[in-house]
Amino acid sequence: MENGKTVTALQTKAYAGARQTEQGRQNKANRTRQTEQGNRIHKKEKGGTDMSVITGLEKRRSRYLLNKELPVAKEKVEEVIKRVTELVPDAFDMKSARVVAAFGEEHEALWDEIERVFEGKVPHDKIQSFRNGAGTICIFTKKR
């Protein structure tokens, strides 16, 4: 029986070793794949321009499906904004950021004014997608 246990223990060790070897192969394959992707991303055109980054930026588009429903109370949103504004570090801890939160009619009026100021330079549907939201948070920083 003792030999049976020894064989079982050896088989278990061999299985664990084979599993580790397979995991090592998979990890190496993943690293190789990541390196190949990284090389493609960082491949530069003559003149040093990284074309894949530029192409990615050109194709970047955000689509928001905003609605008027806030998942939390407006007061909670304001509380979080105040706390984050206090805690987020800025240059030399000068606290130069100012935050305005607009909800309800103020939010609607803000987007009406934005649309008027842009005079059709921004597509109406883009502005409307933000107007569809429950509110707007504007962050202003002092320019030195």
Side-chain angles (χ1 to χ4, degrees):
M1 203 58 164
E2 191 171 312
N3 284 343
K5 287 181 184 178
T6 304
V7 170
T8 305
L10 289 175
Q11 288 173 339
T12 303
K13 286 182 182 179
Y15 173 74
R19 211 170 77 217
Q20 287 176 345
T21 303
E22 180 57 30
Q23 286 174 343
R25 282 190 201 115
Q26 288 174 355
N27 289 341
K28 184 176 180 180
N30 288 339
R31 284 192 305 274
T32 302
R33 204 169 22 258
Q34 289 169 351
T35 302
E36 289 169 358
Q37 289 171 349
N39 289 341
R40 279 196 304 271
I41 289 170
H42 297 292
K43 190 173 184 179
K44 297 195 183 232
E45 191 181 71
K46 290 180 185 176
T49 305
D50 189 340
M51 295 308 292
S52 61
V53 171
I54 291 171
T55 302
L57 290 172
E58 288 173 344
K59 292 182 179 182
R60 183 195 154 280
R61 293 289 175 263
S62 299
R63 300 286 182 232
Y64 301 99
L65 298 175
L66 304 177
N67 61 52
K68 301 285 183 200
E69 189 176 317
L70 276 175
V72 296
K74 181 179 90 168
E75 293 75 23
K76 181 67 176 171
V77 173
E78 291 170 342
E79 177 186 323
V80 169
I81 292 168
K82 286 177 186 174
R83 191 74 178 129
V84 168
T85 303
E86 292 170 3
L87 295 174
V88 171
D90 56 3
F92 305 108
D93 202 28
M94 295 174 65
K95 301 297 175 206
S96 58
R98 300 293 181 257
V99 179
V100 175
F103 298 96
E105 290 178 14
E106 292 173 339
H107 164 76
E108 296 290 334
L110 174 66
W111 286 102
D112 290 342
E113 185 64 15
I114 289 170
E115 188 166 29
R116 187 190 67 72
V117 168
F118 279 109
E119 300 174 333
K121 294 176 186 159
V122 175
H124 173 75
D125 61 330
K126 181 73 167 178
I127 291 175
Q128 188 60 40
S129 72
F130 292 113
R131 184 183 281 122
N132 289 341
T136 301
I137 300 169
C138 301
I139 302 170
F140 300 93
T141 56
K142 291 181 182 177
K143 189 173 181 180
R144 301 273 175 206

